[in-house]
Amino acid sequence: LERIWTQTMALFARQIQSLRGPAALATQQVRLASTEVSFHTKPCKLHKLDSGPATSVTLNKEDALKYYRDMQVIRRMESAAGNLYKEKKIRGFCHLYSGQEACAVGMKAAMTDGDAVITAYRCHGWTWLLGATVTEVLAELTGRMAGNVHGKGGSMHMYTKNFYGGNGIVGAQQPLGAGVALAMKYREQKNVCITLYGDGAANQGQLFEATNMAKLWDLPVLFVCENNGFGMGTAVERSSASTEYYTRGDYVPGIWVDGMDILAVREATKWAKEYCDSGKGPLMMEMATYRYHGHSMSDPGTSYRTRDEIQEVRKTRDPITGFKDRIITSSLATEEELKAIDKEVRKEVDEALKIATTDGVLPPEALYVDLYHNTEAQAVRGATIDETIVQPYKTSADLLKAIGRA
């Protein structure tokens, strides 16, 4: 009897253990599932397309925290740039991206290795997203050696690998973006070139020349109009006979996207990239967004719109606070986690500011470097017709090495 009892209890124990395994696994699956949440986005408007991006999207905790941090870095970095300009530590032009962060961060989230970007002059955030440090961006704005191009480019001329910069001429980047896409097709790359421009550049003749060639050759280029409502100080309704910029490619299909929703931007860009990668050719995208500052820092931005309008957008459509509310409500993140990120971002920007305001500037010899590639030192005319200088250094790298900054 004792042996039977022992065998019975052993069998019972194995049965209990077999039940515990799946039960424990089920509990773990529920816990894992809670780190990924589904959201609904505003539907895209379509032009010459039968279907578009999905409106149901998923987001996991890791990505949620990353997207929040990326947008906060850009916002705080731009705020720091604005303050530096007011203190006259940044000279010349300075165009801020505050309010449009969901566009850049959302598109970057959909990019894959080898994809390229070229944009206009709101390029600080893109420069950072594509590999530069906050220090390199802010130091470039103040003209210091620690800058992205050692202080020689300034606000509109920063570059990283596969980022072909800000461009200071209105619309100049549009045909260049088509050219980058042509190179990709020639190399048989499965990549796209995201070519960004504002609504103020949407009426440029070169855009229509570029879209025509892109469609003729089915180039993998996304022509993205970041429509923030104003071209300099002119409202879109006063400058464009048609404000549906996603349809302006005519024979090039297009989609309209809510540019204040990072998830809508990410999913639309993924979809658009797949469209181009499949060999169907170019696509037009319109990101409906808003900028909080004027066209540039010299524009107060309140002569052609009211302060109440700006505050209303901040309260109801801000891309960062809106995203923050969604990830907290869905339990993807806690207030404490986001406060910790805010603190970390503040520290990173503050440390970058110290370097951007104290680092040295390039010596005068830097005026003569980086003029030609792979040539002997050239004779360059100086400030007057009878002054000629032979390049003391051919590249910035040579100069920085000579002064101990390599």
Side-chain angles (χ1 to χ4, degrees):
L1 286 174
E2 184 177 351
R3 187 170 64 254
I4 294 173
W5 171 256
T6 302
Q7 291 173 346
T8 302
M9 290 306 294
L11 177 62
F12 180 69
R14 286 196 297 272
Q15 289 175 333
I16 291 296
Q17 187 63 39
S18 68
L19 290 174
R20 278 180 181 168
L25 180 59
T27 302
Q28 185 181 15
Q29 287 172 336
V30 170
R31 191 177 297 118
L32 288 173
S34 68
T35 64
E36 187 172 276
V37 178
S38 293
F39 295 98
H40 287 282
T41 61
K42 191 178 292 185
C44 292
K45 299 175 187 177
L46 308 178
H47 170 65
K48 290 189 179 295
L49 292 166
D50 295 325
S51 60
T55 56
S56 179
V57 302
T58 59
L59 178 67
N60 62 47
K61 183 181 181 72
E62 181 182 358
D63 286 344
L65 295 178
K66 175 174 171 47
Y67 300 162
Y68 177 79
R69 187 184 190 282
D70 287 352
M71 289 195 289
Q72 281 288 36
V73 168
I74 295 174
R75 178 71 60 87
R76 186 161 286 277
M77 183 171 67
E78 294 291 59
S79 295
N83 291 334
L84 287 170
Y85 192 93
K86 292 171 186 175
E87 296 166 7
K88 297 185 178 181
K89 293 177 181 176
I90 293 176
R91 302 286 183 152
F93 297 101
C94 185
H95 306 82
L96 304 183
Y97 203 65
S98 304
Q100 301 182 207
E101 295 88 353
C103 294
V105 178
M107 282 185 272
K108 175 61 173 65
M111 291 171 61
T112 57
D113 187 45
D115 288 340
V117 175
I118 188 168
T119 188
Y121 27 72
R122 298 186 202 282
C123 66
H124 310 156
W126 273 110
T127 306
W128 176 76
L129 282 172
L130 293 174
T133 65
V134 175
T135 298
E136 288 171 338
V137 173
L138 292 178
E140 187 58 40
L141 290 171
T142 57
R144 310 288 176 155
M145 279 190 282
N148 172 254
V149 286
H150 314 300
K152 296 183 70 176
S155 176
M156 296 183 284
H157 305 288
M158 303 186 198
Y159 309 88
T160 65
K161 183 180 179 181
N162 291 326
F163 177 55
Y164 294 87
N167 288 265
I169 305 301
V170 177
Q173 71 278 14
Q174 296 159 346
L176 295 179
V180 173
L182 174 60
M184 289 173 170
K185 182 165 185 176
Y186 185 80
R187 294 170 178 168
E188 299 183 349
Q189 294 176 231
K190 285 294 183 182
N191 290 112
V192 299
C193 179
I194 297 175
T195 303
L196 300 138
Y197 58 96
D199 50 276
N203 297 316
Q204 286 279 314
Q206 55 195 328
L207 172 62
F208 300 99
E209 295 177 48
T211 54
N212 177 61
M213 296 177 74
K215 185 60 179 174
L216 274 174
W217 298 337
D218 284 334
L219 302 182
V221 55
L222 300 179
F223 292 104
V224 183
C225 176
E226 292 182 288
N227 178 9
N228 58 29
F230 302 93
M232 295 187 72
T234 305
V236 293
E237 294 80 10
R238 294 183 58 214
S239 65
S240 299
S242 170
T243 58
E244 294 182 322
Y245 295 106
Y246 69 102
T247 70
R248 298 279 295 276
D250 188 14
Y251 38 76
V252 177
I255 59 176
W256 175 96
V257 185
D258 180 3
M260 303 299 266
D261 181 352
I262 185 173
L263 299 181
V265 174
R266 183 192 70 177
E267 293 308 305
T269 308
K270 281 183 180 178
W271 185 91
K273 179 173 159 51
E274 290 173 3
Y275 178 95
C276 285
D277 284 346
S278 66
K280 295 178 181 178
L283 200 67
M284 307 288 285
M285 297 178 72
E286 177 184 349
M287 300 285 179
T289 185
Y290 196 84
R291 58 170 161 84
Y292 295 147
H293 298 282
H295 170 71
S296 68
M297 284 301 297
S298 60
D299 167 24
T302 53
S303 60
Y304 47 87
R305 57 182 180 177
T306 65
R307 295 183 187 277
D308 289 341
E309 176 186 321
I310 301 169
Q311 289 305 314
E312 180 64 19
V313 175
R314 282 186 180 272
K315 288 179 182 178
T316 61
R317 295 174 55 208
D318 184 82
I320 299 178
T321 55
F323 185 67
K324 177 181 178 180
D325 291 343
R326 292 171 91 177
I327 61 177
I328 289 177
T329 303
S330 63
S331 299
L332 276 177
T334 64
E335 286 273 9
E336 291 70 27
E337 286 175 313
L338 300 186
K339 285 180 181 177
I341 289 175
D342 293 343
K343 183 178 179 180
E344 177 187 304
V345 169
R346 191 180 306 115
K347 180 181 178 183
E348 181 178 353
V349 174
D350 287 347
E351 289 176 352
L353 274 170
K354 293 176 185 176
I355 298 174
T357 54
T358 59
D359 193 35
V361 298
L362 287 171
E365 291 85 355
L367 291 169
Y368 306 101
V369 304
D370 300 326
L371 300 181
Y372 304 98
H373 176 66
N374 198 27
T375 63
E376 295 300 317
Q378 302 291 305
V380 183
R381 204 182 85 175
T384 62
I385 194 169
D386 53 351
E387 179 187 13
T388 301
I389 298 171
V390 177
Q391 286 178 289
Y393 306 99
K394 292 190 291 182
T395 67
S396 292
D398 294 338
L399 173 57
L400 292 170
K401 184 177 181 180
I403 63 176
R405 286 293 297 262

